[in-house]
Amino acid sequence: MLTESGSGHPGGSLSATDILTVLYFNEMKVDPNNSKWEDRDRFVLSKGHAAPVLYATLAKKGFFPKEELMKLRKIDAMLQGHPDMKGTPGVDMSTGSLGQGFSASCGMAIAAKIDKKDYRVYTLLGDGELQEGLVWEAAMLAAHYKLDNLTAIIDYNGLQIDGKTDEVLSVNPVTDKFKAFGWNVMEMDGHCIEEIIESIAKAKEIKDAPTVIVAKTIKGKGVSFMEDKAEWHGNAPKEDQKAQALKELGGEI
């Protein structure tokens, strides 16, 4: 779909694919036939530029026809460059401005507490996104209100559009910072399905504190010429590159 549109973000989408696969196909309570089901679990893609991985996941889950994927970023199409909760079934929050989705997920978790609902809220952030001040205001709020129904996952691939995160503006030590803000902190291999399942299960057992899981990932995971390369943050593959990428991923050409 990125080649068809000529734009988009493959690197951060591929680094998050295994995490979204576990969330939507093993963990979250959702109903593709009733995307606004009141008791569903919520997911917020705070790193909204990685919309392709969310769209592919929602299409695979059955929220909308897969044919819509080929219309990515087209004028008047359902799937725009960033998630749109008003236009796309299954999208729980419109995102794009970094840090905004994370704060919105905190609001959703508070709403569940007020309404005495048992749904959980999951949100995925990029490691570069942690450079936003809004993230830390939200982190402080989530701990203050003991949002144990909130699980944040950081897609920690170490790269952002301008290069290595540590060189652009270091966000480390990430785990110590969240601990200082009162969060339960865990780490996992973001590409190990078993470890992702286990980590999310452990997060659900934590009481009186939100949980953040720092997922060690590889930008462009699964495509040899994209892996660990910042230039694939927002660069759509050409036709020949698409063919190679799909072959390596085991997809359809």
Side-chain angles (χ1 to χ4, degrees):
M1 62 175 132
L2 276 72
T3 301
E4 182 68 22
S5 69
S7 63
H9 295 77
S13 293
L14 289 168
S15 67
T17 300
D18 295 315
I19 295 168
L20 263 68
T21 298
V22 170
L23 285 174
Y24 276 92
F25 293 93
N26 186 77
E27 181 59 41
M28 291 173 56
K29 296 182 300 181
V30 294
D31 182 358
N33 296 312
N34 184 9
S35 62
K36 298 298 184 183
W37 175 34
E38 188 176 350
D39 293 327
R40 71 190 186 283
D41 290 331
R42 272 67 164 173
F43 174 76
V44 179
L45 182 66
S46 196
K47 44 175 277 182
H49 55 273
V53 68
L54 178 59
Y55 296 156
T57 303
L58 292 175
K60 181 71 174 178
K61 188 70 176 177
F63 280 92
F64 51 79
K66 293 179 182 177
E67 288 74 19
E68 291 292 332
L69 297 175
M70 293 301 108
K71 303 174 186 175
L72 175 69
R73 290 184 174 233
K74 305 293 185 186
I75 294 176
D76 295 330
M78 174 195 296
L79 306 180
Q80 291 303 302
H82 294 81
D84 177 7
M85 62 186 293
K86 294 183 178 179
T88 308
V91 172
D92 289 316
M93 177 55 62
S94 301
T95 55
S97 179
L98 295 177
Q100 176 185 335
F102 182 43
S103 58
S105 69
C106 294
M108 290 178 174
I110 291 174
K113 294 279 188 184
I114 292 173
D115 294 339
K116 301 187 185 307
K117 297 286 188 178
D118 64 356
Y119 66 77
R120 295 189 61 81
V121 181
Y122 298 91
T123 184
L124 183 75
L125 299 91
D127 50 352
E129 186 177 1
L130 302 184
Q131 296 161 348
E132 301 286 342
L134 178 58
V135 168
W136 300 104
E137 294 179 51
M140 181 167 54
L141 177 142
H144 177 81
Y145 286 105
K146 301 180 180 180
L147 301 180
D148 52 12
N149 56 347
L150 172 64
T151 299
I153 302 174
I154 297 171
D155 182 3
Y156 194 97
N157 58 44
L159 294 173
Q160 58 190 106
I161 191 170
D162 291 323
K164 294 181 179 179
T165 306
D166 275 348
E167 294 177 354
V168 176
L169 181 62
S170 178
V171 297
N172 288 310
V174 172
T175 56
D176 289 345
K177 286 176 178 172
F178 272 96
K179 286 178 181 176
F181 273 72
W183 284 61
N184 173 56
V185 183
M186 302 165 60
E187 296 182 77
M188 70 178 183
D189 179 342
H191 299 304
C192 176
I193 297 298
E194 293 78 11
E195 197 168 326
I196 298 170
I197 292 172
E198 182 180 356
S199 297
I200 292 174
K202 286 182 178 177
K204 293 168 67 177
E205 297 174 356
I206 300 299
K207 302 300 180 186
D208 297 329
T211 290
V212 60
I213 304 173
V214 181
K216 300 294 179 60
T217 59
I218 298 172
K219 204 176 191 79
K221 174 67 175 178
V223 179
S224 58
F225 60 88
M226 290 186 183
E227 285 195 354
D228 203 30
K229 291 184 171 59
E231 56 264 39
W232 284 103
H233 177 92
N235 184 20
K238 307 299 183 187
E239 283 291 340
D240 58 332
Q241 294 170 322
K242 179 190 75 173
Q244 181 180 344
L246 288 176
K247 182 178 181 181
E248 293 182 14
L249 291 168
E252 298 176 0
I253 299 177

